[in-house]
Each structure stands twice: as C-alpha cells, then as structure tokens.
Amino acid sequence: MGLTESDINAIWLTIKLAFTVTIILLIIGTPIAVWLAKTKSWLRGPINAIVALPLVLPPTVLGFYLLIAMGPDGPIGQLTEQLGLGLLPFTFWGLVIASLFYSLPFVVQPIQNAVEAIGKKPLEAAATLHSKPIDTFFYVILPLARPGFISAAILGFAHTVGEFGIVLMIGGNIPAETKVVSIQIYDQVEALEYAGAHRLSAIMLGFSFIALLLLYSFQKRGIATKFRIGR
Amino acid sequence: MTQINSTSSTIIANFQISLHSGSQVFELSVNSEFPSTGITAILGESGSGKTTLLRCIAGLEKSAKGLLKVGETTWLDDKHCVPTYEREIGYVFQDARLFEHLNVQGNLQFAIKRSHEKVQKAFYAEVINALDIGHLMQHKPDQLSGGEKQRVAIARALLVKPKMLIMDEPLASLDNARKQDVLPYLAALQNMFHLPVLYVSHSTDEVCRLADHVIVLHQGKVVAQGGINDVFASTQLPHIYKQETSTIIKAKIIEKDERWHLVKAEFDGNTLWLQDHNQAIGKAVRLRIIASDVSLSLQDEKESTILNRLEGRIGGIEIDKKSATALVTVDLMNSEVVAQVTRKSIDDLFLMVGMKIWAQIKSVAILA
C-alpha cells in the first residue's frame, strides 16, 4: 500500500486513542446513561444538556476551554501537577481526556435510549423474584440493553477516530504521541503530498463506512436500539 | 362462614393510596383481612383498583401509606416499608413479563437462584410437571404462545418459594381457547402447593370457579368480602354484579344415568341431576346456580320439565325497595340455595320466612 512509517504511527496512535476512549467511556458513560434514563430529578434536563453539548459546540470551543483547564493555571492542570503527572496538553493522555468529553454523547445516548426502552416492567418482575437492584442491573438491565452498548461502542470508537479540531487544539502535532490520522492527512495536504493523503483518506473512508454499516445492519435486525441524536 | 385462622399468616391490609396520573387522581382505600389459606379473589371492573391493591401488597406502589402485615411480619407501616425484593411473594403479571434475553430455563433459573429457600430437585420437577412446560425449556419467550408464557410465568413465581402467590388477571390477555390452556393448572395449583393465593379478576366465572374467598372492589373501595358463597349468594354483591348472584356448591358425583346421559351430584344430603361430561363417580365438582335460574313453587310441580326440584323452607327474604326483584334464601338439608324472584310474586304467593317451598332449578353450571 506504500504507507510510510509516519502513516503507520498515526494509524496505530488513532486506534490506541479510540480504543482507550471507548473503554473508559463505556465505564463512566453507563452510570450516567442509566441515571438519566431512570431519574425523575430536576437535574435530568441540565445533565442531558451538558452531555449533549459536544454535539453542537465547535470542537475548537471545547478544545479551547480544555486547553485552559489543563494548563498550568487551570484546575485540571494544577491537579495533574500535584499528582506528579505533569501537564496534559500535547500528550496522549491529554488527548484521551479531551476525547472523553467530545465523544461522551455518542456513548451515553444509545445506552440511555436502550435502558429507557426496557421500561419498568422487567425490573418489577425481577424485584418480585427477590432480585436486589444491583442484581437486577447486572442480570436484567445490562443484557436487555446490550444492543445499546453495541451501538455506543461503535459510535464512540468511530467518532473518536474521526475527530480533528479538538486534537489540533489539545494535542498539536507530535509524531507517535498526538499525531492521529486526521492530523497526518492535514499535514500531507499542507505539504502537497496528495498521494499520501489519498491513501489515508481512503482508509478512513473505508473504516467509517464499515463502522456505520455494522451499526445499521444491527439496527435492521432489531438488535441495536435506534441511534437518535440530540434527543 | 369462612374461618379466619389468625395464628397462621393472615394478611392484614389497611392502607390508603392516592395515585396521580396527569390530572386524574385514583384513590384506593382498603381495610381488610384476608385468610391465609385457599384462593382469595379480588373482583372488580377495570379501574376499580384491583391491580393497584396487588401492587401495594407487592410493594410496587411506592406511595402507598398505611399498614400491611402478613402473619407476624410487617411489610408496611408508618416507619418502614419492606422493599419488594424482600417480600416473600410470587407475582404473576397479566402480561407474563418473562425476561426476553433468557430462554424458559434461564427464566426459571433466575427465580431459583434468588429463592430464600433452597429449591429441591423434586420441587422443581413437580412445578414443571404441574404446569407442563418441560418441553419448552430451550424456547425463548417470543417463541411461546400466550398460554405457554403465562404457565412459565406461574412456574417462575412458584420457584422463588413464595409464602403467598399473587396473580393479576393471569388469563385476561388470553383468548378463550388459550384460557383453557391455563385454567385447569390454576385450579390444581392450590391443591398441590398449599399456598395462599390472591387472584385478581374481573370475570365472575373465573372467580366462582377458583376462589374460596372473595373481596369485591368498586371505585377503590371494598364493597363486599367473605366466603365465596356468602358473597355471591347474598345482597352483599354490589349492583353491577346483581345478575351474577348465585349459589356456589361443592358437590360430589355419586351416580351415572347412561340412558339419559345424566349424572347425579350430592351435596350435604341434597341431590341434583347434571349433564354427563364424563365425570367419574366420586369426583368433587364445584357447581354454580345463578339465582335468576331458580324459581319457587308452593308445591312440587311434577308435571314440569324442570328436573331439579329441591324441597326446603324459606330461610330469608332480602328485599330491595328500589328493585323489582328480591332474593329468597331456601334452607335445604344442611345447605341453602338462593332464588331471585319478583317482589310481586312474593306478595302474590304470600311468601314468608319458615314456609315450605320447592326451589326449581332451571340450570346448573359445572365449574370444575
């Protein structure tokens, strides 16, 4: 295919980033999604709005705020320095944190929809069978919401692979540390290396198509809960 | 009269609940004691609060206030509310509510794993046999018919080893043919598992067939309660069920008449001729005689097509001045039967308590 070492580094980094972000988001997104699906609290509206913000905010705005927060005078920056982790901007973990915010709605919303679709009936049935709430969560809610988790994982991964603006703001352009595929393509175009840009773009196009194909074929078979954006 | 045995697990329910849905407020107020044995039916039209009552007993309605005691255990009072998963009940929902992600076996195992008492292999086998679901084990819920789903749901509820079985119109979502798939199993449950059962229904047929005890709800209030015959054979029955007033009899088949295709049933020294449905001699049957199917005569009218004529004395006359009809109780040998007749006839024949009378029974329904 004629990929350069720099291309391969970018692809590997992108996969590592997307994988890390997806795993972390599934872990922290699930309680948020389940809470949003079940709560009657007045906080539901505000939290829903905050989770959905990255859908409408320009990535540069999100990136700008995160850059300041993670900088030497920002709360996250001060925390990481105190913990001896140094400053996060222009590091891989800085990118991970930025991506967590950026991809949050794509993971939370499918899970939330799936949990809402379960309704209270199976949960009541479980309670009458002596199942404690935590037991019901693992043995009834999780398996019944599985399609939602599949959608969430595919969308979270694909969306992280596809980000550009926020990476530019937080990560910059450090080979093998923060230079993901989308930045690599940008660089190649800037340098008029169209052949290289073609190769990577084609790979991205193919990947994105396959990810969405997977998602929609799950939905067609009624396995995945329909992904609704924005709510 | 029904004996309420207070030493075992009598259920004391005394609570109020207001449910709000939109601008509608539904109030349920119950102050009852249910016996701890047999099947207690909760009868009422839709919207009378039957299901809400069951949900309060199961702890599924969080806003219920009041007192709920089962035997010595308090499930609800001013201070605390035992959560549903700690109440030792089995609940059969109207819509079965099997877990879609598990097959039949998985659904049953879900209950067994969470039972407070170890489920013995023999008990498991007995439940599966009783409900005849052994061949369905590997099926997913969406591959089952409505009747099969409901049978699995009943088995699942039994396998948590409940102290009480709660059934919310388990037959309501089934068509008539499917009902027959489940009804016989329900009737047999009581005998096999000796569990107190609370059974909600809007069908007087089902209630008369299954229940030993009945509570009638109307617009969120208990309007009648007692033994099945005490409620159905009296003016206790609220107006909407007036046409359902009937005598419910436990009888035994004692004789067959092959020639006329009839069987003779005996109850407390009285006998009735019934259609022969291949009942074996000695079989216990439950019979229902609707009060409007009984007429009264001052003499034994042998020249009549009515086969069942029972001699007795008038034990009571209950007159409702607003109605054209009245209920007359005829005392038989150790038993009684009620007749719904017009007030005019009572007046014309000068019927009075203590008079000798013949009850002519036009039809008898064989319930079970």
Side-chain angles (χ1 to χ4, degrees), chain A residues 120-133 135-136 139-140 143-144, chain B residues 55 60 84-85 87-89 91 93 95 97 99 101 110-111 114-116 156 160:
Chain A
K120 65 175 187 177
K121 289 183 170 189
L123 313 187
E124 286 184 351
T128 65
L129 296 168
H130 301 174
S131 176
K132 296 188 172 71
D135 199 12
T136 303
Y139 293 97
V140 180
L144 283 176
Chain B
R55 291 177 56 84
L60 295 171
T84 300
Y85 56 85
R87 299 188 183 191
E88 294 192 274
I89 49 163
Y91 200 116
F93 294 89
D95 48 355
R97 299 199 188 177
F99 299 124
H101 62 292
F110 190 97
R114 287 159 183 82
S115 166
H116 294 173
R156 190 177 68 169
V160 287

Side-chain angles (χ1 to χ4, degrees), chain B residues 271-334:
Chain B
T271 56
L272 288 169
W273 286 103
L274 311 174
Q275 276 192 42
D276 187 352
H277 292 298
N278 281 325
Q279 299 98 328
I281 287 182
K283 186 184 190 296
V285 286
R286 192 185 269 220
L287 308 175
R288 181 181 183 193
I289 302 169
I290 294 184
S292 53
D293 286 341
V294 181
S295 58
L296 301 175
S297 165
L298 290 175
Q299 66 246 4
D300 189 9
E301 287 184 27
K302 295 202 173 76
E303 291 173 6
S304 150
T305 56
I306 295 174
L307 204 57
N308 289 312
R309 299 182 303 273
L310 300 174
E311 185 185 343
R313 279 185 192 280
I314 295 180
I317 301 175
E318 295 186 69
I319 288 177
D320 174 3
K321 284 256 155 60
K322 281 174 280 180
S323 163
T325 59
L327 273 192
V328 176
T329 309
V330 179
D331 287 341
L332 308 170
M333 205 184 295
N334 306 317

Side-chain angles (χ1 to χ4, degrees), chain B residues 203-254:
Chain B
S203 149
T204 50
D205 266 351
E206 263 170 57
V207 169
C208 289
R209 174 163 178 180
L210 295 169
D212 308 303
H213 198 84
V214 64
I215 291 174
V216 187
L217 278 178
H218 185 59
Q219 295 178 343
K221 298 243 169 356
V222 175
V223 290
Q225 59 181 320
I228 179 83
N229 192 46
D230 298 331
V231 170
F232 270 87
S234 78
T235 45
Q236 264 206 67
L237 214 55
H239 196 72
I240 37 155
Y241 293 117
K242 200 150 192 181
Q243 294 314 310
E244 308 279 350
T245 305
S246 36
T247 311
I248 294 164
I249 290 167
K250 284 176 183 166
K252 202 159 113 187
I253 306 289
I254 51 164

Side-chain angles (χ1 to χ4, degrees), chain B residues 31 38 64 71 84 89 100 147 155 168 185 204-205 211 214 230 242 259 262 324 351 355 365:
Chain B
N31 189 351
T84 300
I89 49 163
E100 299 289 331
D168 185 5
Y185 298 102
T204 50
D205 266 351
V214 64
D230 298 331
K242 200 150 192 181
R259 182 170 174 209
L262 292 171
L351 295 185
M355 275 171 78

